[in-house]
Amino acid sequence: MTTTNTQQTTNTQQTTSDLETLRQSLTGELLTGLSESYDAARQLHDFVWDRYPAIIVQAATAEDVAATVRFARTLERPLAVRGGGHSIAGHSMVDGAIVVDLSNMRGVTVDPSTRTAAVQAGATSADLAGAAAAHGLALSTGDTSTVGIGGLTLGGGIGWMVRKYGLAIDNLLGATVVTADGDIVRASAEEHADLFWAIRGGGGNFGIITEFEFRLAEVGSVYGGALVLPATREVIRGFIEYAPKAPDDLTMIAMLMPAPPAPFVPEASVGQLALVVCVCFTGDAAAGDEALAPLRALATPIVDFIGTMPYPAIYELTSEAAKRHGASVRQMFATDLSDSAIDKILEQMQEATSPVSMVQFRGLGGAFARVSSKATAFAHRDKPLFVAVIAIWTDPDDDPAPHRAWTERVWTDLEPFASGVYVNFLENEGDARRREAYGAVTFARLAEVKRRYDPTNMFRFNQNVRPAR
Ligand SMILES: Cc1cc2nc3c(=O)[nH]c(=O)nc-3n(C[C@H](O)[C@H](O)[C@H](O)COP(=O)(O)OP(=O)(O)OC[C@H]3O[C@@H](n4cnc5c(N)ncnc54)[C@H](O)[C@@H]3O)c2cc1C
């Protein structure tokens, strides 16, 4: 045996023994390619990401996470983090890496007396919504029940009540963070305030959050549902002008797409291009109808299906998105779109490669806009509009290429109106787009905090902010 081979054998033996030591120390499970549940554990929501990590640590405690970070650090192995598994860029499962999988840490403890919730980082939006609703409380999280609170919150969290209660991060009181050194610290306005600023929008760059503490709002039922309007330039313009200026109680997500075969859609309209406006109003029906009047005046609705419901029922509107699928996404913030851009979107929708692909519009403003762009690492507070081109395909055997090409074509028409991008809707789009998510000032400040907490860029499988020199 050569010296090199002897060295390799010794290293392999050492790694195997280190791995066994790690396994013994864990409360949770350590999976390798030989484990029965390895294949299920490596799945992400988007089936395009078919990755084979070296090991998956299904953490049960913050100590498990810390031990895994120290293990990866000592062996200089790449480390990725999986929460709810909805990464649009596929960052949470990496070939050959050690993956810290938080999906078994889903506990939610609500304290109704303080109107707060301690939420383990693997919880989904549905987990939190259900636990909070039992006390007539809620947090505004994303539009889809299965999205992880972890990734969602770290990027900002644009939810069903964003105009009333701001982003998820605007309601974050503190977090338990495992740092790159494997220490467990608390980040809040009083402790590690720089870290607390950075994790509110800066993504997974600064550590692994094991628990979030949120302030909840008193939300029992909401007046919500879908208003399906004809897909015309006037209707779209009317929506994008009204949605950011409506009363704060009204948050709307509009999807320009073929009307889905939902039970409330008349058969003759199914498959016809329409603006499906999903509505969440935090008030009673009378006030809701008043707030919706300008929208209903845009055109005679094809469907008007709005009623009082418990807040978690709002997720039924997006139940299809909660199923695994393939997606190609380009997102932007904007202040306006020209008539000709709207016309081009309408034309492109006729060429969509899948019946569930869409261009999505969300009105921002309200409480979202009243937080200073310096207060957190979410920089785009002044942007009234969220626009996303989303090609979706449901057959894993489909060739992604035509869907991606369609997204690119629509994006080419829209890009001149882009004014920043939401970090949580970025694919792997390069350094310039990543910087657009923050703007120069916030990006530089994030790089400085990164230098303090993760100088070797251990946490790099994310929309990466490299440490300042
Ligand atoms: C169908 C769908 C609907 C969506 N709707 C919305 C929406 O309405 N509003 C919105 O704001 N966003 C929305 N998103 C985007 C979503 O917020 C991001 O994709 C988010 O990153 C998903 O979080 P996750 O924990 O599920 O994902 P994961 O894939 O598990 O994690 C994504 C990344 O986040 C980081 N991360 C996750 N958890 C932790 C942690 N505890 N500590 C450190 N880093 C961590 C890691 O870098 C990881 O790679 C949607 C996405 C999808 C696919």
Side-chain angles (χ1 to χ4, degrees):
M1 203 183 253
T2 64
T3 316
T4 316
N5 281 344
T6 313
Q7 187 61 47
Q8 272 169 359
T9 308
T10 313
N11 286 349
T12 308
Q13 282 166 350
Q14 184 61 45
T15 307
T16 310
S17 119
D18 287 340
L19 200 64
E20 231 9 79
T21 309
L22 175 64
R23 191 196 297 273
Q24 297 298 329
S25 77
L26 297 172
T27 307
E29 296 286 314
L30 187 154
L31 310 179
T32 67
L34 300 174
S35 310
E36 214 174 298
S37 49
Y38 173 82
D39 269 329
R42 68 183 188 81
Q43 283 191 355
L44 293 184
H45 184 71
D46 187 326
F47 48 55
V48 164
W49 311 117
D50 185 22
R51 303 265 170 77
Y52 290 82
I55 63 171
I56 302 175
V57 172
Q58 296 193 310
T61 62
E63 287 71 24
D64 282 0
V65 175
T68 310
V69 169
R70 288 194 295 270
F71 174 82
R73 180 169 206 89
T74 309
L75 296 187
E76 296 180 0
R77 297 296 298 269
L79 182 82
V81 183
R82 184 202 195 276
H86 284 60
S87 169
I88 284 171
H91 285 146
S92 43
M93 210 45 70
V94 174
D95 284 331
I98 296 166
V99 173
V100 174
D101 177 359
L102 300 160
S103 61
N104 286 343
M105 293 177 63
R106 290 174 65 166
V108 177
T109 309
V110 177
D111 182 344
S113 68
T114 55
R115 283 197 277 127
T116 57
V119 182
Q120 285 191 313
T124 64
S125 294
D127 293 335
L128 174 53
H135 304 278
L137 301 170
L139 176 74
S140 179
T141 61
D143 68 358
T144 306
S145 62
T146 45
V147 171
I149 293 293
L152 175 106
T153 302
L154 292 170
I158 303 177
W160 281 114
M161 302 180 287
V162 62
R163 306 191 64 260
K164 177 73 173 177
Y165 298 114
L167 294 168
I169 51 170
D170 300 335
N171 299 286
L172 186 65
L173 300 170
T176 306
V177 186
V178 175
T179 66
D181 290 331
D183 294 332
I184 302 174
V185 303
R186 179 163 163 86
S188 69
E190 289 79 34
E191 299 149 277
H192 299 282
D194 51 351
L195 180 60
F196 187 53
W197 173 84
I199 61 169
R200 286 177 294 159
N205 274 288
F206 307 94
I208 304 180
I209 285 66
T210 56
E211 187 168 283
F212 297 91
E213 190 195 339
F214 290 106
R215 176 181 47 237
L216 304 176
E218 279 183 56
V219 179
S221 46
V222 294
Y223 188 56
L227 200 63
V228 182
L229 297 170
T232 65
R233 182 212 285 172
E234 292 68 33
V235 166
I236 295 170
R237 168 145 309 291
F239 176 83
I240 62 178
E241 282 178 3
Y242 181 59
K245 294 187 199 132
D248 288 1
D249 282 307
L250 181 59
T251 296
M252 295 183 283
I253 304 177
M255 305 173 196
L256 182 66
M257 64 185 297
F264 54 83
V265 177
E267 216 174 298
S269 301
V270 170
Q272 303 293 316
L273 190 61
L275 191 71
V276 181
V277 183
C278 297
V279 170
C280 182
F281 183 82
T282 46
D284 63 29
D289 284 334
E290 204 177 308
L292 287 167
L295 209 65
R296 287 181 169 131
L298 291 173
T300 308
I302 300 162
V303 174
D304 196 331
F305 187 72
I306 298 181
T308 301
M309 58 174 77
Y311 173 70
I314 202 83
Y315 287 117
E316 284 167 26
L317 294 172
T318 49
S319 57
E320 286 303 307
K323 297 176 186 163
R324 291 185 77 214
H325 56 243
S328 164
V329 180
R330 286 287 177 280
Q331 191 274 350
M332 66 184 203
F333 293 114
T335 47
D336 199 8
L337 295 177
S338 69
D339 283 347
S340 74
I342 295 173
D343 290 345
K344 282 183 186 159
I345 299 172
L346 284 164
E347 278 167 33
Q348 294 285 7
M349 277 309 306
Q350 301 294 347
E351 310 292 321
T353 47
S354 155
V356 282
S357 293
M358 66 178 79
V359 177
Q360 192 182 94
F361 307 92
R362 304 191 194 194
L364 299 170
F368 164 90
R370 287 194 289 273
V371 176
S372 154
S373 59
K374 296 194 187 98
T376 68
F378 188 100
H380 296 291
R381 300 286 185 165
D382 56 338
K383 308 294 157 54
L385 276 181
F386 169 117
V387 184
V389 186
I390 311 176
I392 295 176
W393 58 102
T394 52
D395 181 350
D397 294 329
D398 247 21
D399 176 5
H403 302 297
R404 288 176 176 154
W406 177 79
T407 300
E408 284 302 332
R409 283 197 298 277
V410 189
W411 176 240
T412 306
D413 293 334
L414 283 175
E415 196 180 3
F417 298 90
S419 177
V421 56
Y422 178 31
V423 71
N424 272 356
F425 272 69
L426 267 178
E427 292 190 343
N428 297 296
E429 298 175 44
D431 197 44
R433 282 276 279 166
R434 200 158 41 237
R435 284 169 185 269
E436 273 175 41
Y438 296 108
V441 173
T442 300
F443 197 85
R445 195 170 157 191
L446 284 170
E448 191 51 45
V449 181
K450 178 81 170 176
R451 187 178 61 77
R452 263 174 256 149
Y453 286 91
D454 185 17
T456 63
N457 203 6
M458 176 132 180
F459 303 117
R460 62 180 179 278
F461 298 106
N462 42 47
Q463 297 297 347
N464 196 226
V465 176
R466 282 186 280 279
R469 296 223 179 115

